[in-house]
Amino acid sequence: MILEMKVPSPGESIKEVEIATWLVKDGDYVEKDQAIAEVDSDKATLELPAEASGIITLKAEEGDAVAVGAVVCLIDTSAAKPDGTAPAKEEAKPATEAPKAEAPKKEEPKAAPAPVAAPSYAAQTPSPAAKKILDEKSIQPSEVVGTGKGGRITKEDAVNAVPSMGTPTGGSRGSERTKLSMLRRKVAERLVAAKNETAMLTTFNEVDMTEIYALREQFKEEFKTKHGLGLGFMSFFTKAVTRALQLYPDVNSMIDGQEKISYDFCDISVAVSGPKGLMVPVMRNAELLSFRGVEAEIKRLALRARDGQITVDEMTGGTFTISNGGVFGSMLSTPIINPPQSGILGMHNVVERAIVKNGQIVIAPVMFVALSYDHRIIDGRESVGFLVAVKEALENPVAILMDNNPRKALEL
């Protein structure tokens, strides 16, 4: 029996996918539920499992865009699984024939080689007038082709000579053209749309990370021992963001035509780098998660994104995004809004800087933060107030985020 395998629908709005990689070859025997291909949609990369066991015949090439419901391969379910024990057949070797005696070949007289002209002593030698002109132009005679007798450089050659601009030679100048994946094309499309269709503006602030550093230094080992998780910056930032979103709900809103949609929950999208590019999985109801809950969920989503197991459902529906460019060393940036959301917070690297505390100049670990927002729905008061609320919570985490009881907040 020949089974036609069709492209399943990865999501309601997805009409086609792209064959990113075939994990099997044409004519291979595949087992039921074995991953046979990776397919890119405009939201995620998904594995395509075999629907039955048998010999596979591929009907699409890598890079092909295939409509949902189209046939991508055939599986012959009646084919027996090869056991791999049959000895390889040896091809019969033809009997060795006795070499036939060949008639001696008559040697033809070889033509005498053409005489090689001796190089002229005048080649690339400038005349006195030409030499003066070349010296004034700082041009070496070896860079000029002489048109005079025997290759001599004439005055006219020197006048017409152009100085070398120092263009490097001998290096590699190759190039390669590759097709963008469907996921990368969709990301590019969304980023351009965000720039063109929103009134995007960015406001900045700086955060003194001293208190967070102290808390992490004090509790990170105990936290890891008890929960098996690292105590990172993201849990502090997520808690600070969800608090600020509840104080300034316009930042947690979206525009839909001529209407504003506001949410009483905080689904936080977290930008992570996956093997196929940027992915933005979502932490649902992040306002209800503890520090341990945030760290566990971020770790789970990051691992699924890295392993290509993230689903479309896990990447849709966020109300606000946090992007941590600091892990790559970014000092400052203007993050682009993740449509249809209205705001995104950019985190950056932590650097020791000179700041003023209590009238004294001190050295402290400082992070620059940036909030990009859609000015059509969020005014300056809300955007600046939101970012100041985030800054206040991060600079005083024990009182604002932990209710003055860090051990209880960290579930230690």
Side-chain angles (χ1 to χ4, degrees), residues 208-330:
D208 179 359
M209 301 287 286
T210 300
E211 293 300 318
I212 292 179
Y213 265 55
L215 283 168
R216 292 180 70 240
E217 183 65 27
Q218 182 178 356
F219 295 111
K220 65 180 181 180
E221 293 300 331
E222 190 175 355
F223 188 85
K224 185 173 183 179
T225 299
K226 181 165 184 179
H227 303 304
L229 299 164
L231 181 59
F233 292 145
M234 281 301 297
S235 54
F236 289 94
F237 272 81
T238 301
K239 299 291 288 183
V241 162
T242 55
R243 171 183 175 271
L245 288 175
Q246 291 168 333
L247 293 173
Y248 297 92
D250 279 352
V251 185
N252 200 41
S253 302
M254 301 178 189
I255 286 183
D256 183 14
Q258 297 183 351
E259 297 178 334
K260 179 176 77 171
I261 304 174
S262 299
Y263 302 95
D264 62 358
F265 56 87
C266 302
D267 282 357
I268 303 299
S269 304
V270 182
V272 298
S273 180
K276 297 290 184 178
L278 183 68
M279 296 184 178
V280 195
V282 181
M283 288 188 290
R284 309 291 178 188
N285 285 104
E287 77 280 4
L288 303 179
L289 296 177
S290 63
F291 283 83
R292 180 188 62 81
V294 171
E295 295 292 354
E297 184 66 359
I298 288 176
K299 181 179 180 180
R300 183 186 73 84
L301 293 172
L303 288 175
R304 287 178 61 78
R306 184 197 67 186
D307 297 338
Q309 298 176 344
I310 205 79
T311 66
V312 174
D313 289 340
E314 290 174 310
M315 295 181 62
T316 55
T319 62
F320 186 86
T321 296
I322 300 177
S323 176
N324 185 7
V327 296
F328 304 110
S330 170

Side-chain angles (χ1 to χ4, degrees), residues 5 34 56 60 83 101 181 186 189 222 226 237 317 341 366 371:
M5 267 199 61
Q34 174 186 344
I56 192 167
D83 57 12
S181 68
K186 188 63 177 180
E189 178 185 319
E222 190 175 355
K226 181 165 184 179
F237 272 81
Q341 299 172 16
V366 174
L371 172 70

Side-chain angles (χ1 to χ4, degrees), residues 24-263:
V24 295
K25 298 189 293 293
D26 197 46
D28 281 357
Y29 185 89
V30 297
E31 299 282 359
K32 184 179 180 181
D33 296 328
Q34 174 186 344
I36 60 174
E38 290 181 351
V39 295
D40 283 343
S41 72
D42 58 11
K43 294 181 180 177
T45 298
L46 308 170
E47 286 188 343
L48 187 65
E51 296 177 4
S53 300
I55 300 294
I56 192 167
T57 302
L58 308 184
K59 292 296 183 181
E61 301 289 338
E62 291 184 358
D64 285 356
V66 184
V68 170
V71 176
V72 288
C73 65
L74 305 176
I75 298 179
D76 183 359
T77 59
S78 61
K81 181 178 180 180
D83 57 12
T85 58
K89 295 181 180 179
E90 294 187 3
E91 295 183 0
K93 296 182 180 179
T96 304
E97 296 181 1
K100 296 180 180 179
E102 295 184 0
K105 293 182 180 179
K106 183 179 181 182
E107 293 187 5
E108 296 181 0
K110 295 182 180 179
V116 179
S120 171
Y121 73 93
Q124 290 190 308
T125 301
S127 67
K131 186 175 187 307
K132 182 180 179 182
I133 296 172
L134 293 179
D135 289 344
E136 290 173 353
K137 291 185 174 183
S138 299
I139 300 177
Q140 296 296 322
S142 60
E143 300 176 14
V144 182
V145 177
T147 60
K149 186 177 180 180
R152 191 176 184 87
I153 299 173
T154 65
K155 180 180 178 181
E156 185 179 358
D157 295 332
V159 170
N160 294 332
V162 178
S164 171
M165 300 305 293
T167 302
T169 59
S172 173
R173 293 181 56 78
S175 63
E176 182 182 6
R177 183 184 294 268
T178 57
K179 184 179 179 181
L180 294 176
S181 68
M182 181 174 287
L183 177 61
R184 174 53 62 184
R185 296 198 302 270
K186 188 63 177 180
V187 168
E189 178 185 319
R190 287 167 61 86
L191 293 178
V192 171
K195 293 285 286 185
N196 294 338
E197 299 172 8
T198 65
M200 196 174 79
L201 191 63
T202 305
T203 184
F204 305 93
N205 216 317
E206 62 180 14
V207 177
D208 179 359
M209 301 287 286
T210 300
E211 293 300 318
I212 292 179
Y213 265 55
L215 283 168
R216 292 180 70 240
E217 183 65 27
Q218 182 178 356
F219 295 111
K220 65 180 181 180
E221 293 300 331
E222 190 175 355
F223 188 85
K224 185 173 183 179
T225 299
K226 181 165 184 179
H227 303 304
L229 299 164
L231 181 59
F233 292 145
M234 281 301 297
S235 54
F236 289 94
F237 272 81
T238 301
K239 299 291 288 183
V241 162
T242 55
R243 171 183 175 271
L245 288 175
Q246 291 168 333
L247 293 173
Y248 297 92
D250 279 352
V251 185
N252 200 41
S253 302
M254 301 178 189
I255 286 183
D256 183 14
Q258 297 183 351
E259 297 178 334
K260 179 176 77 171
I261 304 174
S262 299
Y263 302 95

